[in-house]
Amino acid sequence: FLFYDGLAGFNSPLSYAMGPRKAKEAFPQLAEDIKYGAVYCEAMHNDARTGTSIALTAANHGATIANYVEMVGLVKDSDGKATGAVCLDKMTGEKFEVKATAVVLATGAFLDSIRRMEDPNAEKAVAAAAGVHIILPGYFTPGGMGLCNLRTKRGATMYFLPWQGHTIVGSTDKKCDATSSPAVTEDEIQYLVNEAASCLSGDIRVRRSDVLSAWQGWRPLYRDPNAPPGAPVSRHHAIGVDPKTGVTFICGGKWSTYRAMAEELIDKVRTCLSRKAHLPE
């Protein structure tokens, strides 16, 4: 944790350890058998607000943004190079074309399904991992203090955090392909309820009826299509260009690196366009 503090330039309150008595004072809801606690500072992030802010900022700089619009194919020239996208308005059913100097696929966990529009046999580049979260009432956590359990029954990490007046518990980690508007299975919800209950005092019952909401999302973990079977996936991002269509794609990464990813992606597109036009990069 001191190394963790060092990575932050010691700009946050320092990490520290506390014994069972202090831990129960700081987090009265904890189970009785706790032996010690390690406390560290972490940032909180509302990803929905960030995503909306990015879209609105792009629009403010002249971008055209569209919700409920799905890309269903590419527009190509006589050489097979992509010159735009065929789109479907999911609200009206209307199809239309968008012309472009460069086409970029920044589709997260859905990258493989987009790539297979052109090549049904394309090797997978995404090892999508589904994560379920549940929301419980706020009284399950003290104000300003959360819990990280590093050893759940599945060997995964579980977070139990105060969030906008409530308590957020997550997440699961299940390898499966991404789908739109996913339903959360009852097994995944019950697993999180049981894991939450195991961390808390027996005086506090965590019941299925305490779950206020649940949702599922996917981590777009990058997988090298040329890697041998069983090779580990990457938590970093990768940028590539399809030599047949000239489409640029980006996969992997996370919110904490999105700005650096975007800059690297734009630099890659500019380089490709300069080579195409035989201009200095």
Side-chain angles (χ1 to χ4, degrees), residues 158-183:
M158 185 189 75
Y159 290 92
F160 197 79
L161 305 168
W163 179 253
Q164 297 188 352
H166 298 83
T167 299
I168 186 172
V169 181
S171 77
T172 59
D173 189 26
K174 183 179 180 180
K175 300 295 186 294
C176 61
D177 292 334
T179 59
S180 296
S181 303

Side-chain angles (χ1 to χ4, degrees), residues 33-269:
D33 60 349
I34 185 171
K35 294 182 172 59
Y36 75 95
V39 181
Y40 67 99
C41 284
E42 185 61 281
M44 301 193 77
H45 169 229
N46 187 322
D47 56 346
R49 291 177 64 91
T50 302
T52 303
S53 177
I54 292 170
L56 293 176
T57 301
N60 191 48
H61 284 276
T64 298
I65 59 176
N67 206 9
Y68 297 102
V69 173
E70 179 182 357
M71 173 191 163
V72 294
L74 292 173
V75 180
K76 298 180 182 177
D77 62 16
S78 57
D79 296 325
K81 298 298 184 181
T83 58
V86 180
C87 299
L88 172 66
D89 188 324
K90 301 291 284 187
M91 302 296 287
T92 65
E94 175 192 1
K95 276 189 178 182
F96 58 94
E97 294 183 357
V98 177
K99 296 298 181 68
T101 305
V103 177
V104 174
L105 298 181
T107 51
F110 295 91
L111 176 63
D112 286 335
S113 61
I114 302 293
R115 290 172 61 235
R116 285 173 179 166
M117 289 180 183
E118 296 297 313
D119 181 5
N121 299 316
E123 292 289 337
K124 294 187 68 172
V126 178
V132 171
H133 298 74
I134 61 174
I135 296 292
L136 301 175
Y139 56 76
F140 283 104
T141 48
M145 180 74 75
L147 168 69
C148 175
N149 178 13
L150 299 177
R151 294 184 180 180
T152 64
K153 292 179 180 178
R154 296 182 181 178
T157 299
M158 185 189 75
Y159 290 92
F160 197 79
L161 305 168
W163 179 253
Q164 297 188 352
H166 298 83
T167 299
I168 186 172
V169 181
S171 77
T172 59
D173 189 26
K174 183 179 180 180
K175 300 295 186 294
C176 61
D177 292 334
T179 59
S180 296
S181 303
V184 180
T185 65
E186 188 61 34
D187 287 346
E188 296 292 273
I189 294 176
Q190 194 60 57
Y191 162 74
L192 289 176
V193 169
N194 294 340
E195 285 298 324
S198 70
C199 297
L200 301 181
S201 168
D203 297 333
I204 304 175
R205 294 182 59 196
V206 184
R207 300 160 298 184
R208 174 61 180 84
S209 58
D210 291 319
V211 178
L212 304 177
S213 65
W215 75 94
Q216 180 169 272
W218 276 268
R219 303 173 189 89
L221 305 178
Y222 173 68
R223 173 188 177 275
D224 185 350
N226 300 314
V233 296
S234 174
R235 292 278 175 176
H236 301 291
H237 67 276
I239 298 174
V241 180
D242 187 327
K244 295 181 180 179
T245 62
V247 171
T248 306
F249 70 87
I250 183 168
C251 177
K254 45 194 173 182
W255 275 114
S256 55
T257 59
Y258 91 88
R259 181 60 181 78
M261 290 168 59
E263 183 173 351
E264 185 179 336
L265 175 64
I266 294 301
D267 289 344
K268 181 70 172 180
V269 172

